[in-house]
């Protein structure tokens, strides 16, 4: 089958490798792709904000199946446009992608589906209403821009004035209670009726070690989680994924694609922090290398209402991924630096993200530049692999966290 994957990040590099490895995929096209993906697939220029351009590219290449990576085309309705042209798509409709596109919409669906989440108020930029909502919950304050904000929409702070200022800058905000407890990411693959949970991963959102610094798109991840409660996947399936899929179907807007549940494991049970309508980045860079089930056929089955009786197979090993970030990330990344010394090491995979090729040179071209995944029999071995590789890469003033999966690997040894 001829497949088109839309996107250009480390997530898409991991997805592209998974699709390419499955014989169900006879020809892989990626748009726009990146220099890492171009090593094994055909890349095409594309403005991913342009639904018509996506559809025309797919038609001109006689693509039978499209996988959409990032949230922007999903929230813009690219999947609807492709489906109207008779092309199968892994990725939700514009209406279903509102689970990521509007925090308030996600709250409404969770409420109707009986899914546990933080108590919240949705308010406009009105000082009095904002203050009333903040004071109902007290510090730490959690203020979320209702709409897509490229990772900059959420402020968690003990400073009341900072919370008020952020809320006043947004058209509509969700102000919610602070959830204490470890955070995990658990993804489900859905055909609109069934949803199959993947294994959980943990993401590191802050820029620097010990969770210091600003929020980012994610600085590293690992899977599996040796410390997680047994039955975690079953609990998330029963309490979160299945009711969400049933509610979306009942509303006449079935969710077909990847439902990303960001969860807090609190003293009073698991609670949803957020939903995304797509694979997470960098969680995908630890999940896809561990997934044994052939990816292309799996996603095609989701796209064609055919996930009855599908169970996922996983490698019995661990994966740790570490993000190499450009200087200044996330506020103001400096791009255009030359990347050299990429090592080729067994059990290590370097996923390209913000990169571009200029002649024979590889240059940085975004905040998150590379994601380096190590695979090992346990987290300690996987960490060692990842850090051995990333420490050799040269990009002036770039940085990475040194504590990805550290606590979990220590705890695992203690078991
Ligand atoms: P989000 O974009 O919704 O994932 O939020 C970004 C980050 O803010 C999350 O990964 C959490 O670390 C934090 N966060 C969001 N909502 C809450 C909450 N209700 N309680 C505590 N932390 C939160
Ligand atoms: N890793 C967080 C995200 O993909 O949104």
């Amino acid at each position: 089958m001829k497949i088109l994957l839309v996107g250009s990040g480390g997530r898409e590099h991991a997805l592209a490798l998974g699709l390419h490895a499955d014989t169900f995929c006879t020809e892989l096209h990626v748009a726009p792709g990146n220099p890492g993906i171009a090593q094994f697939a055909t890349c095409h220029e594309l403005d991913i904000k342009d639904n018509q351009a996506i559809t025309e590219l797919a038609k001109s290449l006689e693509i039978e199946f499209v996988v959409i990576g990032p949230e922007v085309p999903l929230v813009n309705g690219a999947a609807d446009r492709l489906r109207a042209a008779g092309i199968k798509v892994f990725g939700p409709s514009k209406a279903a992608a509102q689970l990521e596109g509007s925090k308030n919409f996600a709250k409404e669906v969770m409420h109707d589906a009986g899914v546990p989440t933080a108590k919240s108020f949705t308010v406009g930029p009105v000082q009095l209403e904002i203050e009333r909502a903040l004071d109902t919950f007290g510090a730490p304050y959690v203020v979320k821009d209702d709409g897509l904000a490229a990772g900059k929409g959420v402020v968690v702070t003990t400073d009341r004035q900072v919370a008020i200022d952020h809320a006043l800058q947004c058209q509509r905000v969700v102000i919610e209670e602070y959830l204490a407890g470890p955070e995990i990411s658990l993804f489900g693959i859905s055909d609109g009726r069934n949803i199959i949970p993947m294994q959980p991963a943990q993401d590191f959102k802050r820029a620097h070690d010990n969770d210091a610094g600003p929020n980012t798109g994610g600085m590293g991840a690992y899977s599996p989680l040796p410390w997680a409660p047994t039955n975690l996947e079953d609990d998330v399936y029963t309490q979160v994924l299945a009711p969400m899929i049933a509610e979306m179907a009942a509303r006449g807007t079935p969710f077909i694609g990847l439902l990303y549940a960001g969860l807090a494991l609190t003293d009073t049970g698991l609670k949803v922090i957020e939903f995304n309508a797509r694979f997470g980045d960098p969680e995908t860079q630890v999940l896809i290398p561990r997934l044994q089930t052939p990816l292309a056929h799996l996603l095609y089955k989701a796209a064609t209402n055919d996930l009855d009786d599908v169970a996922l197979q996983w490698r019995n090993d661990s994966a740790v991924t570490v993000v190499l970030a450009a200087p200044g990330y996330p506020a103001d990344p400096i791009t255009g630096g030359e990347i050299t010394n990429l090592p080729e090491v067994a059990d290590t995979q370097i996923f390209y993200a913000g990169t571009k090729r200029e002649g024979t040179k590889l240059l940085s071209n975004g905040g998150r530049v590379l994601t380096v995944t190590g695979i090992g029999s346990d987290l300690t071995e996987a960490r060692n692999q990842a850090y051995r590789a990333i420490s050799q890469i040269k990009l002036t003033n770039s940085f990475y966290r040194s504590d990805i999966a550290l606590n979990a690997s220590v705890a695992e040894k203690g078991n």
Side-chain angles (χ1 to χ4, degrees):
M1 178 154 308
K2 284 173 85 164
I3 301 180
L4 171 65
L5 170 66
V6 175
S8 63
R11 163 185 54 211
E12 282 75 24
H13 192 170
L15 290 172
L17 271 183
L19 295 170
H20 180 68
D22 183 349
T23 51
F24 183 77
C25 174
T26 50
E27 212 176 293
L28 181 61
H29 296 265
V30 186
N34 66 39
I37 296 171
Q39 291 167 359
F40 60 92
T42 312
C43 293
H44 304 267
E45 278 184 27
L46 178 69
D47 174 4
I48 64 165
K49 294 197 175 106
D50 184 342
N51 290 347
Q52 190 176 341
I54 298 173
T55 310
E56 273 168 14
L57 177 67
K59 285 209 266 192
S60 72
L61 295 168
E62 297 178 342
I63 294 295
E64 298 160 271
F65 179 38
V66 178
V67 177
I68 301 178
E71 62 274 20
V72 167
L74 292 168
V75 171
N76 283 345
D80 307 72
R81 189 71 176 255
L82 287 159
R83 287 192 182 109
I87 299 167
K88 303 282 187 280
V89 187
F90 182 82
S93 65
K94 180 175 185 160
Q98 282 301 299
L99 285 180
E100 175 163 3
S102 164
K103 306 258 184 212
N104 180 58
F105 175 76
K107 286 286 185 191
E108 283 177 8
V109 179
M110 281 189 269
H111 178 265
D112 291 353
V115 167
T117 185
K119 292 196 193 74
S120 69
F121 294 104
T122 300
V123 297
V126 182
Q127 177 110 10
L128 210 67
E129 288 182 23
I130 292 166
E131 292 191 32
R132 197 180 301 143
L134 292 172
D135 295 339
T136 304
F137 301 124
Y141 304 104
V142 182
V143 182
K144 302 184 170 185
D145 191 337
D146 178 54
L148 277 191
K152 297 198 172 107
V154 177
V155 165
V156 181
T157 176
T158 50
D159 187 328
R160 193 166 172 277
Q161 195 56 48
V162 170
I164 294 170
D165 291 346
H166 180 61
L168 285 172
Q169 279 167 25
C170 305
Q171 283 196 334
R172 192 154 79 146
V173 284
V174 173
I175 293 176
E176 66 180 32
E177 65 176 325
Y178 179 81
L179 298 175
E183 273 181 52
I184 63 151
S185 308
L186 203 142
F187 304 165
I189 294 172
S190 183
D191 62 5
R193 288 180 301 119
N194 303 286
I195 184 158
I196 322 259
M198 299 185 81
Q199 288 197 351
Q202 191 168 43
D203 177 21
F204 291 73
K205 289 251 162 70
R206 300 283 180 158
H208 304 298
D209 282 7
N210 303 314
D211 293 331
N215 249 322
T216 71
M219 293 298 291
Y222 67 94
S223 174
L225 313 182
W227 53 268
T230 43
N231 301 333
L232 178 64
E233 278 157 67
D234 289 348
D235 289 349
V236 175
Y237 174 82
T238 312
Q239 294 180 43
V240 178
L241 299 179
M244 288 300 287
I245 291 305
E247 176 63 27
M248 291 302 283
R251 287 171 173 241
T253 52
F255 187 97
I256 299 164
L258 192 292
L259 183 61
Y260 169 137
L263 304 154
L265 306 183
T266 75
D267 288 346
T268 53
L270 60 87
K271 300 216 167 121
V272 174
I273 288 186
E274 62 159 348
F275 285 113
N276 293 315
R278 40 132 188 115
F279 281 94
D281 189 339
E283 294 97 322
T284 302
Q285 291 91 305
V286 289
L287 291 171
I288 296 302
R290 298 189 53 244
L291 183 67
Q292 275 178 332
T293 309
L295 185 68
H297 201 197
L298 172 67
L299 301 187
Y300 186 76
K301 278 172 167 274
T304 53
N305 198 8
D306 191 20
L307 282 181
D308 302 274
D309 309 320
V310 172
L312 302 183
Q313 306 295 322
W314 295 91
R315 283 171 57 163
N316 192 20
D317 54 17
S318 300
V320 173
T321 200
V322 184
V323 170
L324 184 81
Y329 179 74
D332 219 351
I334 298 169
T335 61
E338 186 175 2
I339 307 159
T340 58
N341 247 38
L342 292 185
E344 280 199 26
V345 191
D347 292 328
T348 306
Q349 183 69 54
I350 298 177
F351 296 110
Y352 289 48
T355 51
K356 66 174 177 193
R357 208 163 276 289
E358 226 172 68
T360 56
K361 289 185 177 170
L362 183 65
L363 305 181
S364 65
N365 190 34
R368 293 190 291 180
V369 180
L370 300 167
T371 322
V372 181
T373 298
I375 308 279
S377 61
D378 60 13
L379 289 174
T380 304
E381 214 176 284
R383 282 189 90 239
N384 288 343
Q385 288 293 127
Y387 279 109
R388 199 174 298 140
I390 202 169
S391 64
Q392 294 174 44
I393 299 171
K394 293 204 162 60
L395 169 63
T396 305
N397 292 334
S398 61
F399 68 99
Y400 55 86
R401 277 183 67 155
S402 69
D403 62 349
I404 304 300
L406 178 60
N407 291 341
S409 71
V410 172
E412 181 183 59
K413 287 286 179 221
N415 281 341

